[in-house]
Structures are given as C-alpha cells and as structure tokens.
Amino acid sequence: MTKAIDERALVLEILLEITKEHVPSHVVLYNTLAKYQYLEKRERAFITRVTEGTLEHMIELDYIINQFSKVKVNKMKPVIRNIIRSAVYQMKYMDSVPNSAVCNEAVKLAQKKGFGTLKGFVNGVLRNIARNLAHVAYPDQKNTIEYLSVVYSMPEWILEEWIEKLGEECTKQMLEEFQREKKVTIRCNLAKTTKEELMKKLRSEQVEVEEHPYLDYALIIGGFDYLGDLDAFLDGELYVQDISSMMVAEIAAPKEGDYIIDVCAAPGGKALHLAEKLQGSGRVEARDLTENKVFFIEENIERTNLSNITARQQDATVYDEKSRETADILIADLPCSGLGVIGKKPDIKYNMTKEQQEELSGLQKTILNTVHSYVKPGGYLVYSTCTIRESENMGNVRWFLEQFPEFESVSIDRYLPEILRKDTKENCMQFLPGVHKSDGFFIAKFRKKDLAES
C-alpha cells in the first residue's frame, strides 16, 4: 500500500521552493507543516530535520557530490540536484536511516517526478557516495577559508569578513553554534500569565522547559511537535522571540504613558513586548511596509489581547509629517543582511551578497534619515539589526551621530544583565552566536537632546 503522503517528496518540494523561488526557508517550512498538521510527530520531525539539515550543510553536500559525480551539482536539473543533496545529508548525518533505503527512496522519487531516465544516474552517484563516505577528501586545514567553508557550509566571502573583523577563534565559535540543534526561545506574556504558570502549563503538554539565564521572563522550550497546537501559544501566553530581540524593549525602557513608534515592526514581537511593558498605558504604533506584514502584526495583537497597540501600513522611507516629534521612543529594527540568524534561517547565507549588504546599509541610512525626526526632544531612538556586519552596525551608529548632532549616544549597560556588560563597546551591544546565548544581533540607543536643557 502506498503512503498518502511521502515525506521525502514534501522535503523535495520545500527545497525547490527555497532554492529555485528563493522563498525564505522558515516561511516554506512553517506553511508546509501547518498544511500537513495531521502527519505523525515522527514524520513532521523527519521533514524538518532533512530540510533544515540539507540547507545547513549544502556547501559540504555539494562538495561531496562533486567528488563522485561526473555531472557537477550546478549542471544537474534542480529536481535531481535536490534529491541527491537531501539523500547525501541523510546518509552522512542520520544514522537511523540505512543507506540502502536512502538510495532506493531517492531513485523512486526521481521516477515519481518524471525523471525515470535518470534513475540509473541517481542510483549510481548515491551508491558510490555510500561506499566512500568515510573517505571523502576535505580541503587542507592550512587553507583556512576553504576548509571552514566546506566543513561548516559557509560562503567564503562571509568567512573572510568575519575572520578579518572578529578573528578565527570567534568565527569558529559562531560556525559551530549555527550547526547545533536549536531549541526555541520564548517570552512569557506577563500581561496574561506568570512565568511559573506558563512553565507548568507547557510541561503539562510534555514540552521541555528551561529558564534562560539572561532574562527572568524568557524560557527555552523543546520536545514539542507543532507550536500552533500548544494551548499556551493559542491563548497568547507566549511569544516566540530570541533573547537578543527581547533586549530591545529592555533597553528602550518605556515609562508609563509613553507613545512608541516601531517603524519596521513585523511580525510585531518587539512592539508587543513594549506594549506589555507599558501595562495598559500609553500607545504603541507598529508600522510596516506591506498589507501582508501589517496583517501578521494584527494577528499577533489579537492573539496576545493587548489593547494599547495598533498596526499601520507605512513605508519607513517615506516621511510622515504627522509623526514629527511625537514619539517618546522610536524603534528602528531595520532591514539587514540577517547573517546573525543563519542558525535559524540557513538559506540566508546562500542568498546574500556583498553588493546586497551595501545596498541594505544604504537603506538603513535612508530610513534613519527619514524617521529620526519623529523623536521628541528628550526622547529616544533604539537602533537594532539581526546581523554581525560592522558597516550595518557600528558603521551606521558613527554615521548617525555625525549626521545628526542633536542626538547623543546613551550607555545601555544598566539595562543589560551583568554578565553582558563587559561586552558593550561605544555604548552598543553586539551579540554573537556561540559567544552569547543568543542569535547574532546589534543594539544601540540614542537620546535626542532637549534644547530647553541647555
């Protein structure tokens, strides 16, 4: 009897959508798992692991395939390429799946997808790799960039930048962290529950729960099947958010009655966190570029049931006169290269280029040039990105202070856990995966001088 749903066929469709259509991996995987909620936990776990693992190790997988295939990976048809990639991932990293079964299923899938004439090719390449997997010749470790690129599946140009700025040891720490199994960091919605009640509720659903060492309302969870099935999620008692992102609201430090604008808010985690911290007072306006992004923010607002936050469609690059000098706090968590979250979104490293990074750095300046005037005298602007590239972080901080002398840099040490204060530089914090228990993330805070004070 043929199974109604073939997990490997779903993996293939996901990989094709990511690698051919360049749809973000986390979006495709989430949508697929939501569509097939009825699958068993084991099947869903297999789909997730093979998809994420294939993407995470793609440079290494291609390197291995090219040693044993006369047709190089970049010359293969996309369907065949991704069938072979995911099969090699299973053979190398999933001991529970026999190599013979992996090869057989790959051949069947090629035929099912209309490539029956290439069955022999797929079978031959995979059988050859299976026999020789323990004898793959990796680059010489003396060639540091090439070796790290293959072993950790990181593009060489990214490694060159990181090693130059952060050093080889720190770079290796990040690379190792990116490839570790990820649990999920969540923020307890204190407007609805307590941390203790949330932990009890999650454990009653057999979820693994541990406290995060940086913030007392942050938890790390694992062992669950589908987040959308958890009662605590459906009841709006938790929000999935990395600890570094939570620090934005900590550093913003809103006071009762503040009006806060978040200019690039989707999906709304930071804005919701700030609204929660206002404890029903003040107002948060969460803005973003498209109707779809605003919809996601509104969906999260509805789930968390906070009344002092609204969503609005607004292009952050377009000046809004009505907002001039109205915000007590302005949050500018801006579009960036995203290289700090490679561990959760591995396709980012393959899609980003040096040229795109420069464009994004310029876009950040454009947005800052537009929205800085929304801050009241005496008010604050919090700037953040989820990347670890200097030109998008400290480079833009220095540019901003030079361009807008009415703002001054503010130390953020007192808002951070004591363990992190040693790592701030020039009043800013650069979170590094593997070095810190977080994603890669950057935060700076500025105060707009009040002329009445002088």
Side-chain angles (χ1 to χ4, degrees):
M1 182 177 174
T2 305
K3 287 181 65 174
I5 297 296
D6 180 346
E7 302 101 290
R8 289 178 172 84
L10 282 181
V11 169
L12 175 60
E13 294 307 315
I14 293 169
L15 290 174
L16 286 170
E17 195 168 352
I18 294 166
T19 58
K20 280 186 68 182
E21 309 301 328
H22 301 294
V23 181
S25 59
H26 65 289
V27 173
V28 183
L29 191 55
Y30 176 85
N31 289 342
T32 302
L33 294 178
K35 182 178 178 180
Y36 296 98
Q37 289 181 43
Y38 57 83
L39 291 175
E40 293 182 9
K41 182 176 181 179
R42 177 193 59 78
E43 295 169 323
R44 296 161 61 81
F46 178 87
I47 291 166
T48 300
R49 181 172 177 189
V50 177
T51 298
E52 293 181 341
T54 301
L55 291 169
E56 194 171 81
H57 295 274
M58 200 157 69
I59 291 176
E60 181 190 23
L61 298 175
D62 288 358
Y63 180 86
I64 293 170
I65 294 164
N66 281 339
Q67 287 189 41
F68 300 100
S69 173
K70 291 180 180 179
V71 180
K72 301 308 176 188
V73 171
N74 64 345
K75 297 292 185 182
M76 294 178 186
K77 296 182 183 298
V79 168
I80 299 301
R81 178 190 305 144
N82 284 292
I83 288 174
I84 294 177
R85 279 173 174 166
S86 60
V88 175
Y89 171 76
Q90 292 168 65
M91 290 193 291
K92 182 166 176 60
Y93 289 101
M94 296 178 70
D95 294 338
S96 60
V97 185
N99 287 350
S100 58
V102 172
C103 294
N104 290 337
E105 292 301 321
V107 171
K108 288 179 189 176
L109 187 53
Q111 184 169 16
K112 182 179 178 181
K113 292 298 176 182
F115 292 92
T117 56
L118 294 176
K119 284 193 307 179
F121 171 75
V122 171
N123 186 62
V125 171
L126 291 178
R127 299 283 178 188
N128 196 9
I129 292 173
R131 287 192 298 270
N132 295 285
L133 200 51
H135 309 292
V136 173
Y138 282 88
D140 192 317
Q141 292 192 42
K142 293 177 182 177
N143 301 323
T144 304
I145 299 293
E146 184 185 5
Y147 175 77
L148 293 177
S149 176
V150 171
V151 171
Y152 293 102
S153 287
M154 189 66 65
E156 291 188 5
W157 69 269
I158 295 177
L159 290 170
E160 288 167 358
E161 285 191 356
W162 287 354
I163 289 174
E164 180 185 352
K165 295 294 181 183
L166 301 170
E168 189 175 329
E169 183 180 346
C170 182
T171 299
K172 283 182 179 178
Q173 280 182 275
M174 292 195 298
L175 295 172
E176 288 168 4
E177 179 62 24
F178 285 142
Q179 293 198 341
R180 287 195 181 100
E181 185 179 351
K182 305 295 181 297
K183 290 192 175 182
V184 176
T185 305
I186 60 170
R187 171 171 55 78
C188 175
N189 180 359
L190 297 175
K192 278 202 163 189
T193 188
T194 65
K195 180 183 73 174
E196 291 72 24
E197 288 170 345
L198 177 59
M199 292 175 72
K200 183 179 179 181
K201 189 169 184 175
L202 288 168
R203 283 171 176 157
S204 73
E205 296 188 75
Q206 286 72 55
V207 177
E208 300 164 9
V209 185
E210 59 183 294
E211 298 177 77
H212 199 289
Y214 291 172
L215 292 173
D216 60 9
Y217 53 79
L219 300 171
I220 302 167
I221 63 173
F224 58 93
D225 178 20
Y226 176 56
L227 185 73
D229 283 342
L230 298 180
D231 289 340
F233 176 81
L234 295 170
D235 295 339
E237 295 173 351
L238 63 85
Y239 193 92
V240 176
Q241 188 174 16
D242 189 70
I243 197 77
S244 56
S245 176
M246 295 183 211
M247 291 295 176
V248 170
E250 289 293 317
I251 289 167
K255 62 185 185 299
E256 184 178 353
D258 274 352
Y259 171 52
I260 302 171
I261 300 174
D262 186 342
V263 295
C264 297
K270 300 173 192 67
L272 288 162
H273 193 187
L274 288 158
E276 179 194 308
K277 280 184 167 291
L278 287 171
Q279 298 183 320
S281 74
R283 183 163 64 94
V284 178
E285 188 171 283
R287 303 177 177 182
D288 221 306
L289 178 62
T290 67
E291 186 178 337
N292 194 45
K293 288 186 174 183
V294 172
F295 170 78
F296 281 123
I297 299 170
E298 290 175 335
E299 196 173 49
N300 283 317
I301 291 172
E302 184 177 355
R303 187 174 57 81
T304 50
N305 202 32
L306 291 164
S307 60
N308 59 341
I309 176 171
T310 56
R312 169 183 164 188
Q313 188 175 349
Q314 172 72 38
D315 185 343
T317 66
V318 177
Y319 178 66
D320 177 30
E321 176 60 33
K322 291 181 181 178
S323 297
R324 182 175 177 79
E325 295 193 345
T326 60
D328 296 289
I329 299 171
L330 186 133
I331 305 298
D333 182 65
L334 301 187
C336 68
S337 56
L339 299 184
V341 294
I342 286 172
K344 294 174 181 173
K345 303 174 183 179
D347 49 311
I348 286 176
K349 59 186 175 183
Y350 308 121
N351 296 329
M352 186 52 56
T353 65
K354 285 184 178 182
E355 294 72 26
Q356 285 176 299
Q357 282 192 144
E358 292 306 320
E359 290 172 9
L360 286 162
S361 181
L363 175 61
Q364 291 154 10
K365 291 182 174 70
T366 298
I367 293 174
L368 288 170
N369 188 59
T370 303
V371 303
H372 77 280
S373 60
Y374 303 165
V375 182
K376 286 179 180 177
Y380 296 91
L381 189 157
V382 179
Y383 171 66
S384 62
T385 73
C386 58
T387 195
I388 46 186
R389 186 168 184 259
E390 181 156 330
S391 68
E392 296 178 77
N393 295 335
M394 280 310 310
N396 273 345
V397 167
R398 297 183 188 114
W399 168 86
F400 183 81
L401 291 170
E402 183 178 337
Q403 192 78 10
F404 305 106
E406 66 269 30
F407 283 85
E408 60 186 353
S409 176
V410 176
S411 171
I412 61 174
D413 282 359
R414 70 189 184 103
Y415 307 109
L416 295 171
E418 188 172 349
I419 193 172
L420 295 177
R421 293 173 191 170
K422 64 180 179 3
D423 294 331
T424 57
K425 294 180 181 178
E426 297 181 48
N427 290 337
C428 303
M429 180 69 199
Q430 175 70 73
F431 291 90
L432 297 170
V435 178
H436 305 108
K437 296 181 183 299
S438 71
D439 289 337
F441 204 84
F442 177 85
I443 311 178
K445 185 174 184 178
F446 310 104
R447 179 179 179 273
K448 189 171 185 178
K449 300 169 188 174
D450 191 340
L451 296 179
E453 296 173 352
S454 53

